């Protein structure tokens, strides 16, 4: 069996995800992946067995941004800082949104693909929001028995992922910051 | 030019949207559309020019549910009623979610497709939520100068569209109703 070097594997994973983000999961073929990543189809199939396995593997090993959760002293400023990080890194944000959009339909047919996407892209958002929420709860800003933890991930990513669909444009800084003030903080904070 | 009867056009539109909802926009070909709708490709191209034109036309003419906005007396009960309508009509809801997921990536490349989707599927949600909000504002439940109207459509559809992606399952009644109580109502109601 042909062994790929770590660098070569990394390059191949990136190539696969960029193809998927650009064309949508369903449209991408192993032929096209082989062409763009300058691999032989035989090698791809020997290593991964199927397009699904290859994309799941690529999702699982793509580097996530490993930043510390913000700790600015209040829940509001922490959430605004998270929005600012997204805006500072628009290219990465926009790429992740493309990838989510490209996979949204395919995950309905493939639980395995959905699990890989959740682990790769959503796990770090979930854990970051969890830390921010824990500290806010310790400070008494959020009720200790607030039951919306499961809702928060969806509520936080919604404007990033859905704005284009709902309004036909990428969300701008004003919209994303007002989302924190108008939607997230009223739901989270003790009255 | 071959003229299609209204019934035949309707059947063709439905066939196109079901193909897209099932396989994703990018994957569906005019060949497959011709096969499934028992049309000749020549007829399809003569009538619509491209897959994009055909899908846009199908989206624009597909029947939307034309129910009156709920008017149960309070903002909370109106929003819960909207969730119940979605749940009563799970097949329609699930089909619309499939269609949204199937088109989410394609709309990034095609503003025309995005506009058709917004007009077809989102316009009726936007107008229903607008009526509910107007009445709640008249009753003093929502501040007259509340600035989140643009946010509300996104916040309302988020659990329907994103739950599968975030959690790997379709949202159940408990989750959708708790979304109204935990996320929507705190954002909307006067403190």
């Amino acid at each position: 069996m042909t062994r790929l070097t770590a660098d070569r594997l990394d390059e191949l994973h990136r190539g696969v995800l960029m193809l998927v983000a650009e064309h949508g999961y369903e449209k991408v073929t192993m032929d096209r992946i082989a062409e763009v990543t300058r691999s032989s189809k035989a090698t791809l199939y020997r290593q991964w067995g199927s397009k699904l396995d290859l994309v799941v593997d690529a999702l699982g090993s793509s580097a996530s941004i490993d930043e510390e959760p913000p700790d600015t002293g209040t829940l509001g400023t922490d959430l605004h800082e998270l929005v600012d990080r997204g805006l500072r890194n628009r290219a990465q944000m926009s790429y992740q949104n493309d990838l989510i959009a490209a996979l949204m339909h395919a995950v309905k047919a493939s639980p395995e693909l959905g699990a890989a996407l959740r682990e790769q892209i959503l796990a770090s958002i979930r854990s970051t929001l969890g830390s921010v929420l824990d500290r806010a709860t310790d400070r008494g800003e959020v009720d200790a028995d607030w039951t919306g933890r499961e809702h928060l991930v969806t509520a936080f990513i919604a404007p990033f992922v859905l704005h284009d669909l709902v309004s036909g444009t990428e969300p701008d800084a004003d919209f994303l910051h007002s989302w924190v003030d108008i939607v997230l903080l009223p739901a989270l904070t003790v009255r």
Side-chain angles (χ1 to χ4, degrees), chain A residues 9 15 22-23 40 60 66 75 100 106 108 115 134 143 147 154 159-160 166 173 184 187:
Chain A
L9 189 62
E22 189 176 345
H23 301 289
S40 83
D66 222 11
L75 176 62
I100 288 175
K108 291 182 182 277
D134 285 342
D143 243 326
T147 53
T154 299
F160 292 95
V166 171
L184 300 184

Side-chain angles (χ1 to χ4, degrees), chain A residues 29-62:
Chain A
T29 60
M30 284 296 246
D31 279 307
R32 186 77 183 120
I33 292 172
E35 191 186 323
V36 166
T37 63
R38 293 163 293 112
S39 320
S40 83
K41 242 172 82 176
T43 305
L44 294 181
Y45 276 111
R46 206 163 43 231
Q47 189 95 8
W48 286 284
S50 71
K51 179 176 84 171
L52 174 63
D53 292 334
L54 172 50
V55 173
V56 165
D57 192 37
L59 280 170
S61 63
S62 83

Side-chain angles (χ1 to χ4, degrees), chain A residues 5-26:
Chain A
T5 65
D7 277 0
R8 177 74 185 110
L9 189 62
D10 211 47
E11 182 192 11
L12 208 146
H13 280 151
R14 277 203 310 274
V16 168
L17 294 184
M18 285 181 65
L19 268 179
V20 169
E22 189 176 345
H23 301 289
Y25 176 82
E26 279 101 339

